Amino acid sequence: MPVISFANAKGGAGKTTAALLLATEIADRGKSVTIFDADPQKWISHWADLPGRPGNIDVVSQITPASIVEQISDATHQSDYVIVDLEGTENLVVANALSMSDLVVVPIQGSSMDARGGAKILTLIAKLEKIVKRDINHCVALTRTNAAVTTRALKAVQEFLAVKGIDVLMTPIVERAAYRDLFEFGGGLRGQNPKAVTNLDKAQDNAAMFAAEVLEKVRIEPRRRWYDVFKKAS
Ligand SMILES: Nc1ncnc2c1ncn2[C@@H]1O[C@H](COP(=O)(O)OP(=O)(O)O)[C@@H](O)[C@H]1O
Ligand SMILES: [Mg+2]
């Protein structure tokens, strides 16, 4: 089923965090997910070894440029969703994963360095679209935003993206301790202790809205489409 990749040529943009938030939100909805951990830091593989991993999330850690296309293709037949957490660079694994994606999410922090790393991936997507001869659906997710204020750097990034006509998700991923805690304590946001984690409810709402918006972008309704075709023909 749909393949959603997280890419930005710069490290620290929030790819891995966003990928895990989406995966755990999908799992909460009772759907199965395969996550490909193509980040050499292997944060998602470490997370998978902690307690609390939902049974409907599988993590694949062994990936090579030669195998990733087939691995992703196989996973689409086994899981409801496939999520790929990519390295903060441009290489063959990144290019192959982007080519296989139904949606590429480019996380960008409110800084010009992140925006430049994001722009590199957007340029790569444009090149790959010519090679695979189809549009590769993509959008930017603003990450680590301040819940209280919009900084000057973030405003500059928003303007830069608007000028380029790039689709930006309405829900930014806010800076929340709860998101860091997932990698420390394991499981999803629902499994965290509200007494131990500040603003857990706000983090849960933010993650749920982020996931809903991403999933809306990859919604595939073959039955309805066939129904429409049938209706038109009759
Ligand atoms: N929304 C967020 N709230 C709090 N910390 C975050 C958030 N997004 C990322 N971080 C932290 O920033 C660092 C880099 O994030 P990460 O998701 O690993 O980025 P990337 O995968 O792009 O390198 C990590 O320490 C992570 O815990
Ligand atoms: Mg990462």
Side-chain angles (χ1 to χ4, degrees):
M1 296 282 265
V3 179
I4 306 167
S5 294
F6 288 81
N8 182 321
K10 184 178 166 294
K15 295 178 288 294
T16 300
T17 304
L20 186 62
L21 288 179
L22 179 64
T24 50
E25 286 297 319
I26 293 173
D28 268 351
R29 295 168 180 219
K31 303 281 186 191
S32 59
V33 187
T34 299
I35 313 178
F36 284 90
D37 184 3
D39 180 349
Q41 295 190 45
K42 296 287 169 210
W43 283 114
I44 296 208
S45 304
H46 291 305
W47 168 85
D49 291 336
L50 295 168
R53 173 168 64 93
N56 47 356
I57 299 185
D58 277 329
V59 176
V60 179
S61 308
Q62 297 295 327
I63 297 156
T64 65
S67 67
I68 189 159
V69 169
E70 212 171 338
Q71 284 178 297
I72 291 178
S73 170
D74 288 349
T76 60
H77 298 294
Q78 281 152 19
S79 295
D80 295 323
Y81 291 89
V82 176
I83 293 178
V84 190
D85 180 29
L86 291 164
E87 183 177 358
T89 182
E90 291 175 282
N91 60 24
L92 200 50
V93 168
V94 173
N96 284 349
L98 298 184
S99 305
M100 297 285 292
S101 298
D102 296 287
L103 176 69
V104 181
V105 181
V106 183
I108 290 184
Q109 281 186 50
S111 79
S112 59
M113 265 165 71
D114 253 49
R116 258 179 269 153
K120 271 193 188 171
I121 289 298
L122 296 167
T123 307
L124 178 59
I125 291 173
K127 274 189 211 157
L128 293 169
E129 283 177 329
K130 285 188 190 143
I131 297 170
V132 298
K133 294 196 171 65
R134 68 169 180 97
D135 287 343
I136 301 172
N137 195 8
H138 58 274
C139 61
V140 162
L142 295 169
T143 59
R144 304 192 73 173
T145 59
N146 188 309
V149 295
T150 305
T151 61
R152 270 177 60 207
L154 178 59
K155 274 189 202 141
V157 168
Q158 281 169 324
E159 274 164 27
F160 167 83
L161 296 169
V163 166
K164 296 209 163 219
I166 293 160
D167 184 15
V168 181
L169 293 179
M170 280 185 297
T171 316
I173 299 180
V174 176
E175 172 87 24
R176 293 278 177 213
Y179 300 154
R180 280 192 295 271
D181 283 358
L182 295 183
F183 292 92
E184 191 97 13
F185 302 108
L189 291 171
R190 308 261 169 260
Q192 309 296 315
N193 177 359
K195 290 197 181 108
V197 185
T198 46
N199 286 321
L200 180 59
D201 52 342
K202 287 186 179 142
Q204 286 168 341
D205 287 351
N206 181 218
M209 280 180 69
F210 165 72
E213 219 187 320
V214 171
L215 295 181
E216 185 64 29
K217 289 198 175 291
V218 289
R219 204 153 49 109
I220 303 174
E221 292 173 316
R223 244 183 260 152
R224 195 156 110 202
R225 252 184 252 153
W226 279 109
Y227 173 71
D228 287 343
V229 170
F230 176 72
K231 225 175 32 182
K232 267 186 205 152
S234 62

